[in-house]
PDB file of all heavy atoms in Angstrom:
ATOM      1  N   ASP A  89     -67.510 -50.416  -0.754  1.00 88.00           N
ATOM      2  CA  ASP A  89     -68.153 -49.276  -0.089  1.00 88.00           C
ATOM      3  C   ASP A  89     -67.327 -48.836   1.116  1.00 88.00           C
ATOM      4  O   ASP A  89     -66.446 -49.502   1.582  1.00 88.00           O
ATOM      5  CB  ASP A  89     -69.597 -49.631   0.354  1.00 88.00           C
ATOM      6  CG  ASP A  89     -70.518 -48.492   0.272  1.00 88.00           C
ATOM      7  OD1 ASP A  89     -70.126 -47.432  -0.197  1.00 88.00           O
ATOM      8  OD2 ASP A  89     -71.666 -48.632   0.692  1.00 88.00           O
ATOM      9  N   THR A  90     -67.661 -47.635   1.676  1.00 88.00           N
ATOM     10  CA  THR A  90     -66.852 -47.016   2.735  1.00 88.00           C
ATOM     11  C   THR A  90     -66.763 -47.906   3.964  1.00 88.00           C
ATOM     12  O   THR A  90     -65.634 -48.070   4.532  1.00 88.00           O
ATOM     13  CB  THR A  90     -67.362 -45.642   3.070  1.00 88.00           C
ATOM     14  OG1 THR A  90     -68.749 -45.759   3.413  1.00 88.00           O
ATOM     15  CG2 THR A  90     -67.136 -44.687   2.012  1.00 88.00           C
ATOM     16  N   HIS A  91     -67.843 -48.484   4.420  1.00 93.00           N
ATOM     17  CA  HIS A  91     -67.810 -49.254   5.672  1.00 93.00           C
ATOM     18  C   HIS A  91     -66.912 -50.556   5.444  1.00 93.00           C
ATOM     19  O   HIS A  91     -66.065 -50.850   6.299  1.00 93.00           O
ATOM     20  CB  HIS A  91     -69.205 -49.633   6.154  1.00 93.00           C
ATOM     21  CG  HIS A  91     -69.160 -50.380   7.434  1.00 93.00           C
ATOM     22  ND1 HIS A  91     -69.169 -51.766   7.459  1.00 93.00           N
ATOM     23  CD2 HIS A  91     -68.979 -50.012   8.731  1.00 93.00           C
ATOM     24  CE1 HIS A  91     -69.136 -52.207   8.737  1.00 93.00           C
ATOM     25  NE2 HIS A  91     -68.950 -51.135   9.497  1.00 93.00           N
ATOM     26  N   ASP A  92     -67.182 -51.224   4.322  1.00 93.00           N
ATOM     27  CA  ASP A  92     -66.371 -52.413   4.020  1.00 93.00           C
ATOM     28  C   ASP A  92     -64.875 -52.017   3.920  1.00 93.00           C
ATOM     29  O   ASP A  92     -63.987 -52.749   4.373  1.00 93.00           O
ATOM     30  CB  ASP A  92     -66.828 -53.008   2.710  1.00 93.00           C
ATOM     31  CG  ASP A  92     -68.261 -53.610   2.882  1.00 93.00           C
ATOM     32  OD1 ASP A  92     -68.603 -53.947   3.969  1.00 93.00           O
ATOM     33  OD2 ASP A  92     -68.945 -53.652   1.826  1.00 93.00           O
ATOM     34  N   TYR A  93     -64.627 -50.858   3.310  1.00 91.00           N
ATOM     35  CA  TYR A  93     -63.218 -50.387   3.127  1.00 91.00           C
ATOM     36  C   TYR A  93     -62.610 -50.168   4.503  1.00 91.00           C
ATOM     37  O   TYR A  93     -61.474 -50.575   4.747  1.00 91.00           O
ATOM     38  CB  TYR A  93     -63.255 -49.042   2.308  1.00 91.00           C
ATOM     39  CG  TYR A  93     -61.908 -48.392   2.249  1.00 91.00           C
ATOM     40  CD1 TYR A  93     -61.022 -48.784   1.340  1.00 91.00           C
ATOM     41  CD2 TYR A  93     -61.594 -47.386   3.195  1.00 91.00           C
ATOM     42  CE1 TYR A  93     -59.771 -48.147   1.232  1.00 91.00           C
ATOM     43  CE2 TYR A  93     -60.349 -46.745   3.054  1.00 91.00           C
ATOM     44  CZ  TYR A  93     -59.432 -47.140   2.132  1.00 91.00           C
ATOM     45  OH  TYR A  93     -58.219 -46.530   2.101  1.00 91.00           O
ATOM     46  N   GLU A  94     -63.354 -49.554   5.437  1.00 93.00           N
ATOM     47  CA  GLU A  94     -62.804 -49.333   6.800  1.00 93.00           C
ATOM     48  C   GLU A  94     -62.519 -50.619   7.496  1.00 93.00           C
ATOM     49  O   GLU A  94     -61.509 -50.706   8.212  1.00 93.00           O
ATOM     50  CB  GLU A  94     -63.788 -48.461   7.606  1.00 93.00           C
ATOM     51  CG  GLU A  94     -63.820 -47.019   7.105  1.00 93.00           C
ATOM     52  CD  GLU A  94     -65.035 -46.246   7.602  1.00 93.00           C
ATOM     53  OE1 GLU A  94     -65.766 -46.796   8.494  1.00 93.00           O
ATOM     54  OE2 GLU A  94     -65.273 -45.103   7.156  1.00 93.00           O
ATOM     55  N   VAL A  95     -63.394 -51.608   7.404  1.00 94.00           N
ATOM     56  CA  VAL A  95     -63.178 -52.893   8.036  1.00 94.00           C
ATOM     57  C   VAL A  95     -61.940 -53.550   7.497  1.00 94.00           C
ATOM     58  O   VAL A  95     -61.065 -54.031   8.261  1.00 94.00           O
ATOM     59  CB  VAL A  95     -64.447 -53.801   7.787  1.00 94.00           C
ATOM     60  CG1 VAL A  95     -64.147 -55.226   8.265  1.00 94.00           C
ATOM     61  CG2 VAL A  95     -65.615 -53.302   8.568  1.00 94.00           C
ATOM     62  N   LYS A  96     -61.776 -53.522   6.154  1.00 93.00           N
ATOM     63  CA  LYS A  96     -60.624 -54.141   5.544  1.00 93.00           C
ATOM     64  C   LYS A  96     -59.329 -53.380   5.936  1.00 93.00           C
ATOM     65  O   LYS A  96     -58.256 -53.989   6.136  1.00 93.00           O
ATOM     66  CB  LYS A  96     -60.751 -54.190   4.024  1.00 93.00           C
ATOM     67  CG  LYS A  96     -61.754 -55.228   3.589  1.00 93.00           C
ATOM     68  CD  LYS A  96     -61.940 -55.224   2.092  1.00 93.00           C
ATOM     69  CE  LYS A  96     -63.087 -56.180   1.712  1.00 93.00           C
ATOM     70  NZ  LYS A  96     -62.672 -57.318   1.073  1.00 93.00           N
ATOM     71  N   MET A  97     -59.421 -52.052   6.060  1.00 92.00           N
ATOM     72  CA  MET A  97     -58.254 -51.245   6.425  1.00 92.00           C
ATOM     73  C   MET A  97     -57.813 -51.510   7.826  1.00 92.00           C
ATOM     74  O   MET A  97     -56.631 -51.469   8.177  1.00 92.00           O
ATOM     75  CB  MET A  97     -58.551 -49.737   6.229  1.00 92.00           C
ATOM     76  CG  MET A  97     -58.498 -49.276   4.766  1.00 92.00           C
ATOM     77  SD  MET A  97     -57.032 -49.793   3.901  1.00 92.00           S
ATOM     78  CE  MET A  97     -55.780 -48.859   4.719  1.00 92.00           C
ATOM     79  N   ARG A  98     -58.776 -51.817   8.765  1.00 93.00           N
ATOM     80  CA  ARG A  98     -58.401 -52.223  10.098  1.00 93.00           C
ATOM     81  C   ARG A  98     -57.569 -53.468  10.062  1.00 93.00           C
ATOM     82  O   ARG A  98     -56.612 -53.577  10.812  1.00 93.00           O
ATOM     83  CB  ARG A  98     -59.666 -52.420  10.933  1.00 93.00           C
ATOM     84  CG  ARG A  98     -60.194 -51.128  11.585  1.00 93.00           C
ATOM     85  CD  ARG A  98     -61.088 -51.382  12.768  1.00 93.00           C
ATOM     86  NE  ARG A  98     -62.348 -52.040  12.392  1.00 93.00           N
ATOM     87  CZ  ARG A  98     -63.474 -51.387  12.024  1.00 93.00           C
ATOM     88  NH1 ARG A  98     -63.425 -50.082  11.968  1.00 93.00           N
ATOM     89  NH2 ARG A  98     -64.539 -52.081  11.707  1.00 93.00           N
ATOM     90  N   SER A  99     -57.962 -54.447   9.196  1.00 93.00           N
ATOM     91  CA  SER A  99     -57.127 -55.635   9.118  1.00 93.00           C
ATOM     92  C   SER A  99     -55.779 -55.329   8.558  1.00 93.00           C
ATOM     93  O   SER A  99     -54.738 -55.840   9.070  1.00 93.00           O
ATOM     94  CB  SER A  99     -57.876 -56.632   8.162  1.00 93.00           C
ATOM     95  OG  SER A  99     -59.065 -57.030   8.643  1.00 93.00           O
ATOM     96  N   VAL A 100     -55.685 -54.479   7.538  1.00 91.00           N
ATOM     97  CA  VAL A 100     -54.373 -54.078   7.022  1.00 91.00           C
ATOM     98  C   VAL A 100     -53.471 -53.475   8.062  1.00 91.00           C
ATOM     99  O   VAL A 100     -52.326 -53.801   8.247  1.00 91.00           O
ATOM    100  CB  VAL A 100     -54.553 -53.109   5.797  1.00 91.00           C
ATOM    101  CG1 VAL A 100     -53.243 -52.497   5.388  1.00 91.00           C
ATOM    102  CG2 VAL A 100     -55.214 -53.785   4.594  1.00 91.00           C
ATOM    103  N   MET A 101     -54.072 -52.562   8.860  1.00 92.00           N
ATOM    104  CA  MET A 101     -53.280 -51.902   9.945  1.00 92.00           C
ATOM    105  C   MET A 101     -52.843 -52.894  10.947  1.00 92.00           C
ATOM    106  O   MET A 101     -51.712 -52.861  11.409  1.00 92.00           O
ATOM    107  CB  MET A 101     -54.187 -50.865  10.639  1.00 92.00           C
ATOM    108  CG  MET A 101     -54.595 -49.694   9.780  1.00 92.00           C
ATOM    109  SD  MET A 101     -53.217 -48.788   9.136  1.00 92.00           S
ATOM    110  CE  MET A 101     -54.032 -47.417   8.429  1.00 92.00           C
ATOM    111  N   LYS A 102     -53.709 -53.874  11.298  1.00 92.00           N
ATOM    112  CA  LYS A 102     -53.322 -54.891  12.290  1.00 92.00           C
ATOM    113  C   LYS A 102     -52.172 -55.750  11.775  1.00 92.00           C
ATOM    114  O   LYS A 102     -51.218 -56.038  12.486  1.00 92.00           O
ATOM    115  CB  LYS A 102     -54.557 -55.749  12.605  1.00 92.00           C
ATOM    116  CG  LYS A 102     -54.358 -56.757  13.726  1.00 92.00           C
ATOM    117  CD  LYS A 102     -55.627 -57.479  14.058  1.00 92.00           C
ATOM    118  CE  LYS A 102     -55.880 -58.537  12.922  1.00 92.00           C
ATOM    119  NZ  LYS A 102     -57.103 -59.303  13.064  1.00 92.00           N
ATOM    120  N   PHE A 103     -52.223 -56.132  10.507  1.00 90.00           N
ATOM    121  CA  PHE A 103     -51.126 -56.914   9.919  1.00 90.00           C
ATOM    122  C   PHE A 103     -49.828 -56.121   9.861  1.00 90.00           C
ATOM    123  O   PHE A 103     -48.777 -56.697  10.198  1.00 90.00           O
ATOM    124  CB  PHE A 103     -51.506 -57.351   8.504  1.00 90.00           C
ATOM    125  CG  PHE A 103     -52.657 -58.271   8.389  1.00 90.00           C
ATOM    126  CD1 PHE A 103     -53.463 -58.306   7.255  1.00 90.00           C
ATOM    127  CD2 PHE A 103     -52.892 -59.226   9.435  1.00 90.00           C
ATOM    128  CE1 PHE A 103     -54.545 -59.172   7.181  1.00 90.00           C
ATOM    129  CE2 PHE A 103     -53.992 -60.063   9.326  1.00 90.00           C
ATOM    130  CZ  PHE A 103     -54.839 -60.061   8.208  1.00 90.00           C
ATOM    131  N   LEU A 104     -49.871 -54.853   9.536  1.00 89.00           N
ATOM    132  CA  LEU A 104     -48.673 -54.036   9.471  1.00 89.00           C
ATOM    133  C   LEU A 104     -48.107 -53.837  10.890  1.00 89.00           C
ATOM    134  O   LEU A 104     -46.858 -53.867  11.033  1.00 89.00           O
ATOM    135  CB  LEU A 104     -48.962 -52.676   8.808  1.00 89.00           C
ATOM    136  CG  LEU A 104     -49.225 -52.725   7.294  1.00 89.00           C
ATOM    137  CD1 LEU A 104     -49.667 -51.365   6.783  1.00 89.00           C
ATOM    138  CD2 LEU A 104     -48.000 -53.220   6.560  1.00 89.00           C
ATOM    139  N   GLU A 105     -48.933 -53.617  11.868  1.00 89.00           N
ATOM    140  CA  GLU A 105     -48.471 -53.496  13.223  1.00 89.00           C
ATOM    141  C   GLU A 105     -47.795 -54.783  13.701  1.00 89.00           C
ATOM    142  O   GLU A 105     -46.864 -54.711  14.531  1.00 89.00           O
ATOM    143  CB  GLU A 105     -49.613 -53.088  14.194  1.00 89.00           C
ATOM    144  CG  GLU A 105     -50.049 -51.680  14.044  1.00 89.00           C
ATOM    145  CD  GLU A 105     -51.355 -51.344  14.738  1.00 89.00           C
ATOM    146  OE1 GLU A 105     -51.979 -52.254  15.365  1.00 89.00           O
ATOM    147  OE2 GLU A 105     -51.777 -50.185  14.646  1.00 89.00           O
TER     148      GLU A 105
END
Side-chain angles (χ1 to χ4, degrees):
D89 212 6
T90 52
H91 182 264
D92 295 331
Y93 174 83
E94 289 164 9
V95 169
K96 288 177 188 252
M97 283 310 293
R98 273 199 294 272
S99 297
V100 169
M101 297 298 190
K102 188 175 74 183
F103 294 150
L104 289 172
E105 285 168 1

